[in-house]
Amino acid sequence: MSRATRIPNLGGARAFVLHRPHATGAAILRQLAAIGLDAVDCWPELPAEALGADFVFFDADLGFDEQFPWAPGEAPMPTIALIGSEAPGRIEWALSQKADAQLLKPVGNSGVYSALLIARQSFEERRSLADEIVALRARVAERQTIVRAVTALAAQGATDDRAYAQLRSLAMSWQVSMEEAARRIVAMTDEGDEHSDHA
């Protein structure tokens, strides 16, 4: 694969630049236009249509949580922090936003393109990891359901191995997955417990 095919074409993408009127914002808008992005500058808040943006640049020096229509660190698109101040409080706030890339101020005639590419890759990796965590949690929950079902079957006098084999046999006879069979058994057990509590 050649290097050219790995670099995405950003033409036509939409970027919002959340920065007070300043030479920094103007420099970013110029670079974005040269790259082929549709760029919108705004201050002091992001408009609602920014939720559909491909990128958001934000001023880490004067930014605050209420500027964004999402919780800190949960932007639905790649974000790029514009950093000029090295005050610890400002850096801490910028870090809390979990920006996917950063651009140091003052911004000159370059830097925006590489920041866009880094931000997009970081964002995609972060989203992929989040999806993986969700999938792993679901698998752990399903395993716990299987353990609960085997425990419920074993409570009727079978060994754990027998109970597991019984669960597998029930799944085949019901023509469902092991996880679904386990969910049914757990639901039946919970129902039985409710009835015995009311008795």
Side-chain angles (χ1 to χ4, degrees):
M1 184 186 276
S2 72
R3 184 166 292 186
T5 55
R6 271 187 284 180
I7 300 293
N9 177 9
L10 299 174
R14 192 153 205 239
F16 280 74
V17 181
L18 183 60
H19 196 285
R20 70 196 188 286
H22 187 269
T24 291
I28 293 167
L29 292 170
R30 271 197 311 276
Q31 288 186 56
L32 289 170
I35 297 164
L37 276 79
D38 173 21
V40 179
D41 63 325
C42 50
W43 187 261
E45 321 185 312
L46 281 173
E49 63 265 27
L51 283 168
D54 297 294
F55 297 94
V56 168
F57 290 78
F58 67 91
D59 184 10
D61 297 343
L62 294 175
F64 51 95
D65 291 348
E66 291 74 22
Q67 287 182 300
F68 306 103
W70 54 74
E74 293 180 14
M77 77 289 289
T79 59
I80 299 157
L82 303 166
I83 300 176
S85 169
E86 290 193 342
R90 285 286 86 198
I91 292 169
E92 192 178 326
W93 180 82
L95 288 171
S96 77
Q97 297 303 313
K98 294 186 169 66
D100 299 293
Q102 65 178 36
L103 200 52
L104 294 179
K105 297 194 283 184
V107 176
N109 295 319
S110 62
V112 167
Y113 184 63
S114 59
L116 289 168
L117 296 181
I118 290 165
R120 178 178 276 179
Q121 183 170 333
S122 297
F123 177 78
E124 285 171 0
E125 284 174 5
R126 192 157 49 88
R127 182 164 271 188
S128 172
L129 275 172
D131 291 346
E132 212 174 295
I133 288 167
V134 167
L136 285 170
R137 283 186 176 147
R139 278 172 56 194
V140 166
E142 286 185 340
R143 288 214 176 121
Q144 288 171 341
T145 304
I146 288 173
V147 168
R148 283 184 65 199
V150 168
T151 304
L153 292 169
Q156 298 167 9
T159 64
D160 284 352
D161 287 345
R162 272 243 172 91
Y164 186 79
Q166 189 181 351
L167 174 63
R168 195 169 48 228
S169 171
L170 286 167
M172 286 192 293
S173 67
W174 291 339
Q175 296 184 334
V176 295
S177 67
M178 287 274 286
E179 291 80 5
E180 178 55 31
R183 278 193 288 273
R184 289 183 188 182
I185 289 164
V186 167
M188 285 188 275
T189 305
D190 290 348
E191 249 175 56
D193 290 346
E194 272 180 37
H195 290 314
S196 63
D197 288 345
H198 294 310

